[in-house]
């Protein structure tokens, strides 16, 4: 399963692979570096030891050459034997060059009698000895001055070249061993890398498997992988997300069942009314008229529910409808709302009072906010007492305007205050139904206010009356609904 899901994923971005590569790099590179440093420093050391050893011998030899006057007469058996022995001992070649740059002795007998002009020789006559290592041909070459005993001046030069074969051979053997060691270290590092990377990412695989199990519905269990802080945080975030989704799903199901129920009720009533008319052949015209009136009322109710639901969807904070923001005279807007509901107030014998504390102009969507005010004022009239009153006050400060709708009505119980904005919530279902309420009015009002970054709250005393306070910024912060969610919630919190 794990493999199937990750078939299209770039393996080079895997955490496990990266850990593995880092371990390999950290494990193998230093070993390789160390190997070449050790070999190189051994070579330098061995060469310098060899050069200084032979140089000493050459100085002694130079003194012998002067003592025996070898530069003028090369017949000394002792010196010739010494030179040959020296050449054999160090597996090298010795050339003795006199003051005329003539090679008076070559232990290889190749260049004897020839003239030798080279930078090294000339510099040696200037008392600067030079040693040169030719790694490719494996030899060291260096010069030793032959000094006159009395004057101390350079009267000749010994040019020595000795083979470095034995040093190269030792390095070769050491290098072979070091290679073996590097390979063993590399194999061990790779094994360690595989082991560590598999074990380090194991908890992440566990989190993923747990998420897959939950996603595929095999279990409702909470994900818990406490191996690392990181996996713990991921698990907890996922669990919280699942809780949120469950709550959302529950509220969605409740909404759907409420909608179906509310839409079915008028249809059931209409069917009952129509059936009883069909079954009663001799029903008088008055009965027909009365039943048809009831059917029309049910149709109106159904129509209202559908319209309310459509408004609710339109005013959903997450809908992408653009707000039609204009400069609106709020006092005039509230006056128009009151004009529209006055017939209902008159019918209910409720006194409707408008109190414009100060003139207010705000940047709002007039249609949406009128709808909100209308729903709140309608409630204040509907849930009022006979000969009661509804007072609507419009006020503002430098940042917000408020519309306060107070009534002398039946009031809302304390425990219901937190629920009245929920869709289909009604405090007294039978009473609400009697006066034609579906429980969508305040949900619509609240959504419209939230779209303006505003807030709504209610204060109520049962049997005395209720006040709804709507508070909206004079200048709307956002023009579209999409970006408003966060600001809305903050405003709400502030309001609380
Ligand atoms: N001013 C008020 N006084 C007393 N109770 C109120 C008042 N306003 C709202 N309520 C209570 O809050 C509930 C929810 O109100 P809401 O406006 O959402 O629904 P409704 O009035 O029942 O139906 P609708 O407005 O959709 O026709 C109402 O059923 C009522 O019980
Ligand atoms: Mg209402």
């Amino acid at each position: 399963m794990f493999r199937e899901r990750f078939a299209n994923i770039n393996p080079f971005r895997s955490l496990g692979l990266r850990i593995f590569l880092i371990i390999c790099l950290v494990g193998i590179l230093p070993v390789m570096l160390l190997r070449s440093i050790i070999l190189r420093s051994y070579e330098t050391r061995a060469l310098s030891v060899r050069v200084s050893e032979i140089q000493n011998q050459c100085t002694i030899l130079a003194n012998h050459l002067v003592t025996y006057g070898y530069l003028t007469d090369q017949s000394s058996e002792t010196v010739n034997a010494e030179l040959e022995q020296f050449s054999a001992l160090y597996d090298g070649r010795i050339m003795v060059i006199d003051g005329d740059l003539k090679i008076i002795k070559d232990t290889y007998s190749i260049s004897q009698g020839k003239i030798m002009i080279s930078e090294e020789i000339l510099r040696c006559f200037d008392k600067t000895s030079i040693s040169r290592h030719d790694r490719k041909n494996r030899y060291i070459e260096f010069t030793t001055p032959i000094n006159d005993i009395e004057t101390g001046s350079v009267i000749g030069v010994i040019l020595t070249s000795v083979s470095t074969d034995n040093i190269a051979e030792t390095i070769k053997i050491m290098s072979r061993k070091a290679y073996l060691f590097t390979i063993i270290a590399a194999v061990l590092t790779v094994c360690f890398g595989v082991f560590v990377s598999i074990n380090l990412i194991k908890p992440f695989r566990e989190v993923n498997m747990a998420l897959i199990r939950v996603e595929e519905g095999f279990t409702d269990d909470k994900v818990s992988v406490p191996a690392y802080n990181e996996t713990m945080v991921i698990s907890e975030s996922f669990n919280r997300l699942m809780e949120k989704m469950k709550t959302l799903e529950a509220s969605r199901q409740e909404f759907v069942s409420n909608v179906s129920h509310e839409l079915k009720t008028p249809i059931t009533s209409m069917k009952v009314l129509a059936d009883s008319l069909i079954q009663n052949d001799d029903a008088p015209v008055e009965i027909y008229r009365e039943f048809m009136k009831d059917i029309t009322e049910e149709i109106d109710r159904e129509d209202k529910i559908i319209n309310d639901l459509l408004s609710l969807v339109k005013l959903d904070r997450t809908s992408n409808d653009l707000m039609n923001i204009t400069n609106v005279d709020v006092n005039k807007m509230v006056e128009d709302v009151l004009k529209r509901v006055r017939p209902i107030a008159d019918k209910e014998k409720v006194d409707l009072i408008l109190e414009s504390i100060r003139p207010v102009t705000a940047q709002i969507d007039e249609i949406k906010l009128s709808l909100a005010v209308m729903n709140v004022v309608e409630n204040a009239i509907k849930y009022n007492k006979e000969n009661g009153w509804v007072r609507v006050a419009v006020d503002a400060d430098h940042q917000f305007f408020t519309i306060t709708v107070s009534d002398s009505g039946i009031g809302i119980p304390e425990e219901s205050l937190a629920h009245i904005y929920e869709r289909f919530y009604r405090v007294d279902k039978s009473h609400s139904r009697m006066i034609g309420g579906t429980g969508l009015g305040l949900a619509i009002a609240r959504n419209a206010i939230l779209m303006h970054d505003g807030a709504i709250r209610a204060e109520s005393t049962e049997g005395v009356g209720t006040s709804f306070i709507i508070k909206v910024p004079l200048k709307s912060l956002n023009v579209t609904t999409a970006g408003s969610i966060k600001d809305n919630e903050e405003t709400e919190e502030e309001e609380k």
Side-chain angles (χ1 to χ4, degrees), residues 304 308 375-376 378-384 407 409-412 420-422 424-428 432 435-444 460 465-466 468:
K304 180 182 178 317
D308 281 356
N375 273 308
V376 176
E378 234 176 44
N379 282 349
I381 300 168
K382 277 199 300 188
Y383 302 104
N384 218 310
D407 65 55
I410 54 173
I412 303 167
I420 50 176
Y421 307 102
E422 289 168 15
F424 297 113
Y425 182 85
R426 284 157 294 183
V427 176
D428 179 349
S432 280
I435 55 176
T438 50
L440 290 172
L442 283 180
I444 293 170
S460 183
T466 309
F468 276 92

Side-chain angles (χ1 to χ4, degrees), residues 143 148 156-157 247 253 283-284 355 423:
T143 51
D148 187 83
V157 171
T247 318
Q253 277 180 5
E355 198 180 336
R423 295 167 299 193

Side-chain angles (χ1 to χ4, degrees), residues 129-405:
S129 292
I130 288 176
S131 76
R132 190 165 62 83
H133 178 213
D134 187 334
R135 179 174 280 122
K136 199 172 151 217
N137 297 313
R138 293 183 179 183
Y139 69 88
I140 329 169
E141 191 177 68
F142 54 90
T143 51
T144 313
I146 305 168
N147 297 317
D148 187 83
I149 295 174
E150 283 159 22
T151 60
S153 59
V154 182
I155 52 170
V157 171
I158 302 175
L159 178 65
T160 319
S161 352
V162 290
S163 156
T164 55
D165 271 352
N166 54 350
I167 295 177
E169 204 53 43
T170 315
I171 286 175
K172 211 168 153 189
I173 293 165
M174 280 176 73
S175 174
R176 223 174 280 146
K177 283 191 178 159
Y179 260 124
L180 196 71
F181 178 73
T182 312
I183 288 169
I184 292 171
V187 170
L188 286 178
T189 309
V190 167
C191 294
F192 180 70
V194 169
F195 175 78
V196 170
S197 59
I198 286 177
N199 276 288
L200 276 181
I201 64 157
K202 205 168 155 196
F204 289 101
R205 285 174 78 112
E206 277 171 24
V207 171
N208 192 52
M209 294 311 284
L211 299 192
I212 290 171
R213 275 200 301 277
V214 174
E215 184 198 333
E216 292 184 345
F218 292 131
T219 172
D220 256 358
D221 286 354
K222 289 204 155 112
V223 175
S224 166
V225 184
Y228 301 138
N229 286 344
E230 287 79 1
T231 52
M232 214 158 77
V233 169
I234 295 173
S235 314
E236 279 168 11
S237 302
F238 180 76
N239 290 337
R240 272 201 300 277
L241 180 74
M242 283 305 286
E243 279 304 316
K244 244 187 195 169
M245 279 172 66
K246 276 183 198 159
T247 318
L248 259 170
E249 178 60 16
S251 104
R252 194 186 65 85
Q253 277 180 5
E254 194 195 331
F255 179 65
V256 170
S257 83
N258 280 337
V259 169
S260 328
H261 176 78
E262 293 300 327
L263 288 178
K264 240 181 114 182
T265 316
I267 290 175
T268 315
S269 305
M270 284 188 271
K271 176 145 174 60
V272 170
L273 289 165
D275 276 352
S276 56
L277 283 181
I278 291 166
Q279 276 158 22
N280 193 348
D281 293 337
D282 315 320
V285 179
E286 295 77 54
I287 296 284
Y288 263 95
R289 216 178 272 282
E290 195 189 322
F291 277 25
M292 286 313 279
K293 199 172 141 251
D294 290 347
I295 289 175
T296 315
E297 271 171 20
E298 293 301 334
I299 290 171
D300 287 345
R301 188 172 159 70
E302 186 90 20
D303 190 47
K304 180 182 178 317
I305 296 171
I306 291 168
N307 282 333
D308 281 356
L309 281 171
L310 288 175
S311 306
L312 203 61
V313 172
K314 252 187 167 172
L315 293 174
D316 196 319
R317 282 194 294 169
T318 53
S319 89
N320 283 323
D321 267 6
L322 286 175
M323 295 266 276
N324 182 18
I325 303 278
T326 49
N327 262 333
V328 176
D329 179 343
V330 179
N331 308 71
K332 169 89 175 36
M333 180 192 84
V334 174
E335 210 181 301
D336 286 349
V337 169
L338 296 197
K339 214 181 270 171
R340 269 185 276 158
V341 293
R342 199 166 289 281
I344 314 171
D346 290 344
K347 201 173 132 214
E348 301 290 327
K349 295 197 179 68
V350 171
D351 199 7
L352 209 51
I353 311 149
L354 171 63
E355 198 180 336
S356 284
I357 298 172
R358 71 186 74 230
V360 180
T361 312
Q363 291 180 358
I364 51 172
D365 184 324
E366 185 170 7
I367 294 177
K368 291 188 174 76
L369 213 64
S370 311
L371 189 65
V373 177
M374 171 90 95
N375 273 308
V376 176
V377 176
E378 234 176 44
N379 282 349
I381 300 168
K382 277 199 300 188
Y383 302 104
N384 218 310
K385 297 170 192 157
E386 206 167 318
N387 299 319
W389 50 263
V390 171
R391 215 183 72 225
V392 184
V394 180
D395 196 2
D397 57 21
H398 61 286
Q399 227 183 332
F400 297 93
F401 69 87
T402 49
I403 301 171
T404 311
V405 181

Side-chain angles (χ1 to χ4, degrees), residues 26-42:
V26 170
I28 299 170
L29 258 187
V31 174
M32 287 171 75
L33 223 68
L34 211 67
R35 184 181 66 92
S36 75
I37 290 172
I38 289 174
L39 290 179
R40 189 50 67 88
S41 65
Y42 168 77

